[in-house]
Amino acid sequence: VSDTILKDVFNDYLKGSNYLFKNREVLRPDYIPKLLPHRDNQIVQIGKMLAPILKGSRGSNILIYGKTGTGKTAVIKKVIDYLLTKSVEINTNIMSSYINCRMIGTEYRIFANLCEKINIEIPFTGLSTKEVFDRFKYGLKSKNISFIVILDEVDALVLSSGDNILYNFTRINEYLDDSKLSIICISNDLNFKDLLDPRVLSSLGEEELVFPSYVAPEIYDILSERIKIAFNEDVVTSGALNLCAALISNEYGDIRRALDLLRIAGEMAERDKFKKITDSYIRIAKKKMDNDRVFSILNTLPIHSKLVLSSIYFLINEGIKEPKTGEVFKIYSNLCNQLKIKPLTQRRVSSLINELNITNILNTKVISLGRYGRTKKILLEIPLNSVKEIFLKDPLISIFFK
Ligand SMILES: Nc1ncnc2c1ncn2[C@@H]1O[C@H](COP(=O)(O)OP(=O)(O)OP(=O)(O)O)[C@@H](O)[C@H]1O
Ligand SMILES: [Mg+2]
């Protein structure tokens, strides 16, 4: 009996996916569509900054910012793609290496990656980081190429290893004769610049570019294009599309979430054997997506971040709507003492707060205290109750919430 039940499950699934989805894959976050509506401006600007490379000059170093899901990665990959195609056409020697610093987190592995690109073998361990970097430098010098390094999510690298690596990159052209290196750094932390030494900043940020968050009509256009290739005709109602654009623009215009929302709504409708994705499906999907997201972020936070967030929770619970870093630090230290773990410094706590800011769990505003320096005001961006509900299930810190 169980055999037939399972067969039905699969058959239903296959049949179902036929009438709603045409191609589910194009809703995945790493899919880059042919067209990127509302990014012409950025594409043209970056193109102009890199174009000199085609004539053998060094391209500008570029610093790109923008909140998550504003098309930074998609745009840069597209531009580099065009540039490389052009370079083949006109027979110039351009190479590029795209590195996601959140995935490839250490200097050693970044340099090893670059070496690999120019066919220099590097053992997995055994060399010093400096040695690997030198091999890249000398390798590059001997090859007469223009090399573009793209460091995506570079804030992750600087937070974990400092900006020394960036300094090395900005200095490298002094050693090169005919080869040239340009660096493109991408960050979704708008405060990223504060982490850099002014010397590094001035060389890296020869050109700066901000990707603004998408507004509702832009989200609408982008989704309309994607819906054409992802779903069968007339599956997504216009009400659903409008609502999806409105909900996501109300947050912070993250296209990735808009695409997720469509996919989840589609899967829900599919399971109900419903032939259309209506606005009610978007609404239910939104609720599910919000819960899932908060749950998974909070659950996977390192213990110190959990304690920082707990401290914010307690302050808000006491009626302090926008706690400041100093206040958070006091409660945090207290919680650490109760758990008998060593508190981090206030500076580290402040950078943990920045990290929570990036995930949009919090929103921080820097305010000036006159001659007493600066502090951050913290706004919790998720329901207060979610923090309690989720942390009540955490074996280590649930005691604080009972
Ligand atoms: N203008 C656009 N038109 C069509 N699709 C877009 C556009 N901008 C972004 N996207 C799509 O949205 C998703 C997220 O974009 P992308 O990965 O480039 O964001 P990001 O700015 O790099 O975000 P993060 O800072 O989180 O890395 C991708 O699937 C991308 O293809
Ligand atoms: Mg990206």
Side-chain angles (χ1 to χ4, degrees):
V1 184
S2 61
D3 265 11
T4 33
I5 293 176
L6 193 54
K7 233 179 245 162
D8 283 349
V9 170
F10 290 153
N11 283 337
D12 277 2
Y13 178 83
L14 289 171
K15 239 190 287 158
S17 65
N18 286 343
Y19 56 71
L20 285 186
F21 288 98
K22 184 154 58 182
N23 183 358
R24 208 182 294 256
E25 293 303 304
V26 304
L27 296 172
R28 293 175 61 91
D30 47 4
Y31 174 79
I32 300 182
K34 275 210 183 70
L35 294 177
L36 297 170
H38 302 293
R39 282 297 176 245
D40 285 357
N41 195 354
Q42 284 76 9
I43 291 176
V44 168
Q45 283 198 57
I46 298 173
K48 283 184 180 163
M49 294 169 191
L50 297 179
I53 300 178
L54 289 168
K55 283 197 171 169
S57 309
R58 185 175 73 79
S60 306
N61 294 331
I62 310 173
L63 214 51
I64 296 175
Y65 306 95
K67 285 225 163 191
T68 186
T70 51
K72 301 182 297 295
T73 302
V75 162
I76 204 71
K77 285 191 166 169
K78 180 79 62 191
V79 175
I80 295 288
D81 213 40
Y82 276 119
L83 184 75
L84 294 182
T85 309
K86 195 72 197 171
S87 82
V88 171
E89 229 176 272
I90 63 171
N91 226 341
T92 47
N93 213 349
I94 303 181
M95 286 181 105
S96 80
S97 185
Y98 171 87
I99 292 171
N100 183 315
C101 301
R102 213 169 286 278
M103 315 279 251
I104 302 183
T106 66
E107 287 182 57
Y108 188 96
R109 287 196 50 215
I110 290 176
F111 294 146
N113 226 272
L114 296 177
C115 284
E116 201 176 292
K117 201 79 194 193
I118 53 173
N119 293 322
I120 296 171
E121 267 189 50
I122 296 293
F124 207 69
T125 53
L127 299 179
S128 71
T129 305
K130 180 171 183 312
E131 172 70 26
V132 187
F133 182 63
D134 285 344
R135 289 195 191 182
F136 172 65
K137 212 158 69 174
Y138 299 128
L140 195 58
K141 183 174 181 148
S142 68
K143 299 214 168 180
N144 190 12
I145 39 180
S146 298
F147 201 99
I148 306 169
V149 183
I150 301 134
L151 298 172
D152 202 351
E153 314 207 21
V154 66
D155 39 297
L157 175 71
V158 174
L159 278 175
S160 68
S161 336
D163 62 1
N164 194 34
I165 179 171
L166 298 180
Y167 180 75
N168 285 334
F169 274 132
T170 60
R171 280 293 133 106
I172 194 170
N173 282 300
E174 294 167 8
Y175 293 90
L176 305 175
D177 299 327
D178 293 326
S179 295
K180 293 183 177 69
L181 184 97
S182 347
I183 311 142
I184 300 174
C185 289
I186 305 177
S187 167
N188 59 20
D189 177 358
L190 306 180
N191 300 319
F192 169 67
K193 278 205 281 195
D194 300 345
L195 299 172
L196 299 181
D197 186 289
R199 279 177 310 172
V200 175
L201 181 61
S202 72
S203 334
L204 273 189
E206 289 172 336
E207 301 279 0
E208 286 187 27
L209 205 60
V210 176
F211 279 52
S213 300
Y214 292 117
V215 294
E218 294 172 338
I219 301 174
Y220 182 96
D221 288 344
I222 294 169
L223 293 184
S224 315
E225 288 304 315
R226 202 69 71 93
I227 284 170
K228 284 186 205 153
I229 50 178
F231 296 97
N232 286 320
E233 218 169 313
D234 295 331
V235 162
V236 182
T237 66
S238 67
L241 171 56
N242 274 314
L243 181 62
C244 193
L247 288 175
I248 297 298
S249 77
N250 264 345
E251 296 179 335
Y252 34 89
D254 178 354
I255 290 291
R256 196 176 293 127
R257 277 174 60 79
L259 295 169
D260 263 353
L261 186 55
L262 276 178
R263 183 184 47 79
I264 296 170
E267 282 166 359
M268 286 176 155
E270 187 174 59
R271 243 168 284 160
D272 292 350
K273 302 198 164 63
F274 210 75
K275 298 221 167 59
K276 282 198 187 293
I277 299 171
T278 56
D279 48 350
S280 352
Y281 275 106
I282 298 287
R283 248 180 259 281
I284 317 171
K286 179 69 169 44
K287 214 168 230 149
K288 177 176 178 344
M289 194 168 84
D290 287 346
N291 287 339
D292 288 357
R293 175 178 156 267
V294 171
F295 184 82
S296 83
I297 295 180
L298 262 52
N299 252 326
T300 51
L301 287 176
I303 178 67
H304 287 284
S305 300
K306 282 183 181 166
L307 290 172
V308 168
L309 190 57
S310 303
S311 311
I312 295 167
Y313 168 89
F314 292 124
L315 287 164
I316 296 176
N317 213 23
E318 300 271 297
I320 302 171
K321 276 213 184 80
E322 299 185 341
K324 302 192 191 71
T325 317
E327 298 168 325
V328 174
F329 183 67
K330 265 192 207 138
I331 309 271
Y332 158 83
S333 309
N334 193 308
L335 298 181
C336 284
N337 289 338
Q338 292 186 50
L339 291 179
K340 299 202 165 39
I341 54 181
K342 192 168 172 252
L344 302 170
T345 61
Q346 179 155 351
R347 204 187 136 103
R348 273 294 291 150
V349 165
S350 176
S351 73
L352 291 183
I353 291 173
N354 276 345
E355 284 170 28
L356 289 167
N357 187 20
I358 297 171
T359 57
N360 290 300
I361 294 289
L362 306 175
N363 203 342
T364 61
K365 257 185 288 180
V366 176
I367 50 169
S368 163
L369 297 179
R371 62 197 192 87
Y372 298 106
R374 292 182 311 169
T375 187
K376 270 191 223 97
K377 261 192 185 172
I378 302 158
L379 209 68
L380 189 66
E381 292 280 0
I382 57 173
L384 196 57
N385 243 340
S386 314
V387 179
K388 181 170 179 175
E389 264 167 43
I390 296 168
F391 284 169
L392 258 175
K393 295 194 192 103
D394 188 287
L396 209 58
I397 61 174
S398 59
I399 45 163
F400 298 131
F401 291 87
K402 279 178 182 150

